[in-house]
Amino acid sequence: MLFQFISQKQLIRSIAKSGVVALVALGLAAPVTAADNAQTIRVGVPDLPPGQGNPYSALGTPSIYTWAAVFDALTLVDAKGVAQPALAVSWKNTTPKTWRFTLRDGVSFSNGEKLTPEAVLTGFNYIKSGKAGRSPIVRELGGVASAAASGPNTVDFVTKRPDPIFPNRIAALKVVAPKHWAAKGPKGYAAEPVGTGSYKIVSWTANKIKLVAFEGSWRAPKAGQLEIIELPERSARVQALMSGQVDIVAGLSTDNIPSLESAGQRADVRAAPQVMALALPVVRKDKKTKKLVKIDTPFSDVRVRQALNYAVDKEGIAKGVLAGFAKAAGQGATPAAFGYNPSVKPYPYDPAKAKQLLAAAGHPNGLSFTAEVVTGAFPGDSEIYQKMAQDMSKAGIKVTLQKITFPEWLGKYLGRKPWDGQAFALSWNSAPYVDSIRPIGLYSCFNPFTFTCDDKVKGLIIKANSEFDRNKRREILHQIHVANSENPPAVFLIEQIDVFGLSKRLKAFNQINRWVTYHEMTVN
Amino acid sequence: MNPFLLKSVRRLAAFGVFLLGVVTLLFFLLQLTGDPAEVMVGDSGTPEQIEQVRAQYGFDRPLIEQYGRYLVRLSVLDFGVSFANDQPALNLVAERLGPTLLLTLLSIIATLLIAIPLGAWLGIRPDAAAQQAGGAIVYMAQGVPGFVAGLLLIQLFAVQLRWLPSIGHDSLASWILPTLTLSSFLAPKLTRVIAINVTEAMREDYIRTARANGSGLQNLLWRHALPNALLGATALVGAQFAFLISGAVITEVIFAWPGLGWLLVKSTTTLDFPVIQAAVFVIAVLVFIVNALTDILFVYIDPRLRGQAS
């Protein structure tokens, strides 16, 4: 054989030469130096704000992880759904439709501008100008008729109807530096955002925002720098945390917790202001007449909707899929949301009762339907829907899960395309103002794209929306939760959770409805 | 007309037709993915907001009119502005192109540095036990999905050993793992091609002649066998460029590498049509350029083709 004249030693020597060149060229042989990052908090998030630093371009995640460092609103809704002072120190009703906010003294923006009523009105006027067309805040503040300065340090908001939760609602409106906004416009401001928050942005690249402490902030931070890094892959976020490259990661799942803990890191798990549910449409709005039309569906019978709730082992989902970190849901609010009714319990898992109700409703052999769901939005959501379908099959209910993309879901939810299935996923989300009325409104006749309409709930919503006495209002919301439990517009599944991963060197982590309080945190 | 020039003009014209086909197909396919106006206003939008956004971006116009306007704008390389942040789509793509080209170039270099010596070693004595074992490992490596390779590399070098960063592209050290990951898409395949080519070359008569004339191993391998083996490898690298770009999409997402692939993924999930269209256009042009360069390189390294080209 020709190859016999070539010795193995010769070969290895020959190949080794190339190998060394390769290693040096790739830098593998070079030592990796550790950077001094003692005062830098690094945060890994699934996405940076898509609209960059325009605080009116987005409301919830992922933008909220950046807004929390840079911007403030007049109020901040706490973990119990109560508005707390932020840029406003107090507020009161001067008339049933007028809310007067007194601004905090001595607050500066990171460019040196002072907080004035004009600053508050700058953002409000933009939202109302029609130029903020697609901003989610347009709808949140749709009930405000006007706003004006009423003194050197006070701003009045006039609502179209009495609005008892306006101090919660206004938390969506971040305050911008007025001169900078006027000079740059929304697009320029997005590129060079300025706020009153703990940190100011020094650079914004495709995958990283670098911030430094704004020492003059009314909530000055303890750490010198902050970096917010886009890490779209969950596994990459986990590995970045485990390898010490970041201190906080958002958007994890419970199945990441064991590996984090085994690597000496920690997880912060707490209830999200959302209840995962499967909506059971019974009506639709006619596009021409705008009137509600009943849908021909088995869900029209309340016994069927109750049966579906009995047929799902929510406790099993909470324990099995989410490792016991979540709780079974029986209403459209989490305990954090104002108006949550602790006396409304989840439907117990009772397949026999479900069968009995189905038989009474004219479905002795069970029923089948298709549910359109979006997965990847919540920890374990795909498994949760599968477990739901599996449980329902034991009660004779055959559910076909049809996974669709979020854009597809939106098109259908917004009434622009028909649903292929009879049910669809829709969480009861009380964010951003953490009040039961928000998700209740979505599951009511008042939703512009409504799919359910209970007259009793409708009447109670009208009452709640004009009740300023907190206790009385809470009682009305309790009644709504009872009504929605007895006549469920959805299959209530579980109270969702937020899982953050934390490095062991990070101190004083806290998040309030996903608003991360960076200013309190330090790193060793 | 000079035959070479004529050939080039014909090829450019064919590419123009191909590009028109790509942008047209993409335009109509994107219409099937959903309505960007709905994504822009989100689930808290009102019917009025949706209509306002549709009118603002011209989505309320007849589709054929939208297509016509799109082609007119395209003729001056105007892809419009990103729906997400109002920045010109082509600028966003241009910003991300550099990191992707860097990653792709590094991975091609790494692939060559791994595949050429390894392929030569495997091919020169294919029946030896060590080469058989090595060949089996390369064969298995070819079956490992790129993202799995990436996650394994991160686990080993970033999490366990903490030698290398696994995110960003700020430092030379941060280039290593993404480069190796993307190399894993092509290196095993190229190694096997080179190994087979070297084995075949070593059986050729000219190798026997060179051996008979007293050529040593180094000379036989580097001067005679490898140049012939590399002809096929060059064609493979050129042909696999588009495949590498698709590998870059996965690699960029895993390593938070701010490149074109990652931008394309994000834009697809948010139905940011202008950015998707600009990115696909740029990728198509890139693939064309690389294929053309590969052909030129082929002429340069294959003496038989030099005569034909001239």
Side-chain angles (χ1 to χ4, degrees):
Chain A
M1 172 106 193
L2 181 66
F3 302 109
Q4 285 172 347
F5 64 85
I6 302 166
S7 75
Q8 198 72 26
K9 202 173 171 183
Q10 276 179 302
L11 266 178
I12 289 169
R13 201 182 303 135
S14 169
I15 302 311
K17 284 180 189 171
S18 312
V20 168
V21 173
L23 287 173
V24 171
L26 280 171
L28 278 170
V32 180
T33 53
D36 178 13
N37 56 7
Q39 281 301 310
T40 303
I41 298 171
R42 294 192 173 88
V43 189
V45 297
D47 202 354
L48 296 182
Q52 282 196 301
N54 177 351
Y56 309 120
S57 63
L59 196 51
T61 56
S63 301
I64 193 170
Y65 301 132
T66 302
W67 295 172
V70 181
F71 296 113
D72 289 294
L74 292 178
T75 61
L76 177 67
V77 181
D78 71 13
K80 293 179 178 171
V82 180
Q84 297 296 338
L87 294 183
V89 288
S90 64
W91 46 89
K92 63 179 180 185
N93 279 111
T94 54
T95 73
K97 291 183 184 175
T98 306
W99 282 95
R100 175 164 295 168
F101 290 82
T102 303
L103 304 186
R104 188 178 291 275
D105 282 332
V107 174
S108 295
F109 290 90
S110 60
N111 68 343
E113 289 186 60
K114 302 292 178 197
L115 174 68
T116 58
E118 186 202 354
V120 179
L121 296 173
T122 297
F124 176 78
N125 291 337
Y126 171 67
I127 291 296
K128 288 292 180 182
S129 68
K131 294 174 186 166
R134 67 195 202 214
S135 166
I137 298 146
V138 170
R139 182 168 168 187
E140 299 296 340
L141 296 185
V144 187
S146 64
S150 52
N153 218 22
T154 54
V155 184
D156 284 0
F157 288 89
V158 180
T159 56
K160 291 173 185 168
R161 58 170 176 75
D163 186 355
I165 61 163
F166 187 73
N168 290 46
R169 220 183 285 279
I170 199 66
L173 185 76
K174 305 295 177 281
V175 180
V176 292
K179 289 176 186 164
H180 187 60
W181 180 273
K184 299 284 180 183
K187 210 186 264 188
Y189 206 93
E192 297 171 45
V194 168
T196 53
S198 316
Y199 289 91
K200 52 185 176 184
I201 292 171
V202 290
S203 72
W204 190 314
T205 57
N207 67 334
K208 189 188 285 185
I209 308 171
K210 284 188 178 178
L211 307 99
V212 294
F214 169 34
E215 306 285 355
S217 169
W218 68 280
R219 49 184 184 105
K222 292 177 180 168
Q225 292 94 35
L226 179 71
E227 288 182 7
I228 302 174
I229 306 158
E230 186 172 275
L231 301 171
E233 263 292 308
R234 180 155 58 94
S235 55
R237 290 198 293 280
V238 171
Q239 287 175 318
L241 181 66
M242 288 167 71
S243 58
Q245 297 174 83
V246 292
D247 301 296
I248 304 169
V249 288
L252 300 188
S253 187
T254 50
D255 55 6
N256 299 127
I257 296 174
S259 53
L260 281 184
E261 289 178 345
S262 68
Q265 317 290 8
R266 299 166 288 151
D268 179 277
V269 186
R270 55 184 89 180
Q274 277 173 278
V275 170
M276 206 170 153
L278 191 70
L280 306 171
V282 292
V283 294
R284 65 173 174 82
K285 202 175 253 183
D286 186 90
K287 281 186 181 170
K288 287 180 184 168
T289 64
K290 304 287 180 196
K291 287 183 178 172
L292 290 183
V293 181
K294 284 187 179 174
I295 302 171
D296 181 19
T297 168
F299 305 144
S300 299
D301 191 319
V302 64
R303 291 168 296 188
V304 172
R305 283 178 273 128
Q306 289 171 339
L308 295 179
N309 276 282
Y310 277 116
V312 181
D313 180 10
K314 277 92 62 181
E315 298 285 352
I317 290 174
K319 285 180 186 154
V321 180
L322 295 174
F325 288 105
K327 288 183 180 163
Q331 60 189 294
T334 57
F338 185 82
Y340 171 82
N341 188 343
S343 65
V344 174
K345 303 294 180 195
Y347 276 71
Y349 177 48
D350 192 342
K353 176 88 174 171
K355 282 183 182 173
Q356 190 186 330
L357 281 165
L358 284 178
H363 304 281
N365 300 319
L367 60 89
S368 57
F369 66 91
T370 297
E372 295 186 62
V373 299
V374 178
T375 57
F378 296 113
D381 52 11
S382 182
E383 293 85 354
I384 291 169
Y385 291 128
Q386 282 167 23
K387 172 80 166 65
M388 176 199 77
Q390 193 184 328
D391 289 345
M392 285 186 175
S393 69
K394 292 173 189 162
I397 304 160
K398 188 188 171 199
V399 187
T400 304
L401 292 174
Q402 186 175 322
K403 289 187 184 180
I404 57 174
T405 64
F406 182 63
E408 277 180 286
W409 181 92
L410 260 181
K412 292 176 176 185
Y413 174 72
L414 297 174
R416 305 181 71 84
K417 287 175 201 146
W419 292 100
D420 293 326
Q422 292 72 48
F424 61 89
L426 175 65
S427 74
W428 296 66
N429 184 358
S430 36
Y433 38 89
V434 200
D435 190 290
S436 293
I437 200 70
R438 193 178 191 279
I440 284 171
L442 286 180
Y443 272 89
S444 78
C445 327
F446 294 108
N447 184 341
F449 313 103
T450 192
F451 51 89
T452 185
C453 187
D454 180 330
D455 285 335
K456 185 180 176 186
V457 170
K458 183 180 177 182
L460 287 167
I461 289 175
I462 292 168
K463 274 176 76 177
N465 281 343
S466 55
E467 181 56 69
F468 277 75
D469 182 293
R470 280 181 67 81
N471 290 332
K472 288 181 182 170
R473 187 168 173 275
R474 183 185 286 117
E475 180 51 38
I476 298 167
L477 293 173
H478 282 186
Q479 290 174 34
I480 296 175
H481 286 308
V482 171
N484 273 336
S485 175
E486 290 169 351
N487 184 18
V491 180
F492 298 105
L493 295 170
I494 49 128
E495 295 170 2
Q496 261 299 356
I497 51 171
D498 281 326
V499 184
F500 284 80
L502 310 174
S503 73
K504 54 189 167 192
R505 71 180 201 133
L506 182 83
K507 307 290 178 208
F509 173 83
N510 191 21
Q511 59 102 347
I512 304 161
N513 306 316
R514 298 165 185 158
W515 181 268
V516 182
T517 54
Y518 297 112
H519 61 286
E520 295 170 345
M521 295 174 205
T522 56
V523 283
N524 288 335
Chain B
M1 188 185 270
N2 179 316
F4 181 73
L5 196 61
L6 185 66
K7 194 176 171 186
S8 302
V9 169
R10 275 190 191 148
R11 191 162 179 179
L12 266 176
F15 176 64
V17 174
F18 164 75
L19 208 52
L20 182 66
V22 167
V23 297
T24 301
L25 190 65
L26 186 64
F27 177 87
F28 289 103
L29 279 179
L30 284 176
Q31 308 304 317
L32 302 174
T33 59
D35 184 346
E38 293 160 3
V39 178
M40 279 190 261
V41 300
D43 58 357
S44 63
T46 61
E48 296 75 27
Q49 269 185 300
I50 296 170
E51 289 311 323
Q52 192 185 340
V53 172
R54 284 179 60 77
Q56 185 185 340
Y57 287 92
F59 302 147
D60 55 346
R61 305 283 177 83
L63 195 58
I64 199 71
E65 185 186 330
Q66 290 183 49
Y67 174 63
R69 286 168 180 263
Y70 165 65
L71 284 186
V72 169
R73 283 192 286 109
L74 208 60
S75 64
V76 288
L77 291 182
D78 177 7
F79 288 86
V81 296
S82 161
F83 298 155
N85 56 27
D86 288 336
Q87 292 184 46
L90 197 57
N91 288 6
L92 287 172
V93 170
E95 275 174 29
R96 303 296 192 97
L97 186 59
T100 295
L101 286 180
L102 173 70
L103 180 59
T104 311
L105 187 67
L106 285 173
S107 77
I108 288 175
I109 294 170
T111 298
L112 294 174
L113 289 173
I114 294 166
I116 292 173
L118 188 57
W121 180 71
L122 290 173
I124 209 158
R125 288 185 67 188
D127 300 326
Q131 274 84 345
Q132 293 257 316
I137 291 168
V138 171
Y139 185 74
M140 282 190 285
Q142 199 177 337
V144 176
F147 74 93
V148 173
L151 293 177
L152 287 174
L153 285 170
I154 293 173
Q155 191 63 29
L156 180 62
F157 291 106
V159 177
Q160 300 296 334
L161 300 171
R162 296 205 175 197
W163 287 357
L164 296 166
S166 64
I167 55 175
H169 82 314
D170 300 343
S171 62
L172 287 175
S174 66
W175 296 3
I176 296 171
L177 293 182
T179 299
L180 291 177
T181 300
L182 190 53
S183 300
S184 75
F185 283 77
L186 189 55
K189 194 185 281 184
L190 189 65
T191 302
R192 294 186 68 215
V193 168
I194 291 173
I196 292 165
N197 289 355
V198 166
T199 302
E200 283 176 1
M202 292 300 279
R203 291 190 179 116
E204 294 290 335
D205 290 344
Y206 62 85
I207 295 286
R208 288 176 191 275
T209 309
R211 172 69 184 146
N213 286 337
S215 286
L217 169 67
Q218 294 282 343
N219 193 39
L220 278 178
L221 182 64
W222 295 104
R223 192 175 164 78
H224 298 289
L226 260 180
N228 285 290
L230 289 180
L231 282 177
T234 307
L236 180 72
V237 172
Q240 295 286 316
F241 181 76
F243 174 70
L244 272 184
I245 292 284
S246 68
V249 172
I250 297 163
T251 309
E252 287 172 6
V253 170
I254 293 175
F255 289 96
W257 185 277
L260 194 53
W262 180 4
L263 179 70
L264 194 55
V265 171
K266 277 175 72 171
S267 307
T268 306
T269 54
T270 55
L271 303 190
D272 198 342
F273 289 177
V275 177
I276 299 170
Q277 286 160 339
V280 171
F281 181 89
V282 167
I283 289 171
V285 172
L286 264 180
V287 170
F288 171 77
I289 292 171
V290 170
N291 284 343
L293 287 176
T294 307
D295 288 353
I296 293 168
L297 189 65
F298 233 62
V299 171
Y300 178 75
I301 61 175
D302 189 344
R304 292 166 298 184
L305 295 176
R306 269 178 234 156
Q308 289 176 27
S310 60

